[in-house]
Amino acid sequence: MKTMAADQGTHAAFAAALDDLLEALDEVAQRRKDVSRRAERLRRQVDSGRPLAEIVSAEDQPLIVETLREASAHFLEAFSRFQRAEAKALHEEGLSMEKIGRLFGLSRQRVAALLDR
């Protein structure tokens, strides 16, 4: 039988993971604006016939690719924590791995792996 403390711990972990996900989404939105501006500038320079090697060498650091890689990695980490926490919370509430899998679009085996972490 599940204890109230375990249930509260699972829901607290879910709430923390949700907060992390919201923070990561805010970061992605902010970086998207910066990357869009930089990509538009890059497009204009490429369209003007300037060599890409020259353009990229003069670009501000970090480059667009590095900015996107970092933002993607941070978002993916937050998403993974959220997915695990949500699966655990739903399982604590009595949903089967099969049902969670259907909700998430995952196999039962993948849900089992999420719950084991």
Side-chain angles (χ1 to χ4, degrees), residues 67-78:
T67 300
L68 289 173
R69 183 177 52 248
E70 289 173 4
S72 296
H74 183 226
F75 173 75
L76 198 53
E77 288 172 20

Side-chain angles (χ1 to χ4, degrees), residues 18 22 25 27 44 56 59 81-82 96 107 109 115:
L18 181 57
L22 289 168
L25 286 167
E27 179 183 343
R44 286 191 302 274
V56 172
E59 275 287 304
R81 283 192 305 271
F82 173 75
S96 69
S107 68
Q109 292 83 1
L115 296 174

Side-chain angles (χ1 to χ4, degrees), residues 90 95-106:
L90 290 169
L95 269 68
S96 69
M97 288 187 276
E98 290 81 8
K99 176 67 175 175
I100 295 168
R102 282 194 301 276
L103 289 170
F104 286 16
L106 301 173

Side-chain angles (χ1 to χ4, degrees), residues 37-104:
R37 282 192 302 272
R38 293 177 69 187
E40 288 170 5
R41 185 173 60 236
L42 178 62
R43 166 57 86 186
R44 286 191 302 274
Q45 291 175 342
V46 167
D47 287 349
S48 75
R50 191 169 168 207
L52 184 59
E54 182 182 308
I55 298 167
V56 172
S57 296
E59 275 287 304
D60 292 336
Q61 298 292 323
L63 294 177
I64 292 172
V65 294
E66 185 178 354
T67 300
L68 289 173
R69 183 177 52 248
E70 289 173 4
S72 296
H74 183 226
F75 173 75
L76 198 53
E77 288 172 20
F79 167 73
S80 294
R81 283 192 305 271
F82 173 75
Q83 185 179 38
R84 280 191 308 275
E86 187 172 36
K88 287 179 181 181
L90 290 169
H91 198 252
E92 283 273 331
E93 289 182 3
L95 269 68
S96 69
M97 288 187 276
E98 290 81 8
K99 176 67 175 175
I100 295 168
R102 282 194 301 276
L103 289 170
F104 286 16

Side-chain angles (χ1 to χ4, degrees), residues 3-10:
T3 66
M4 182 69 98
D7 190 46
Q8 289 175 346
T10 301

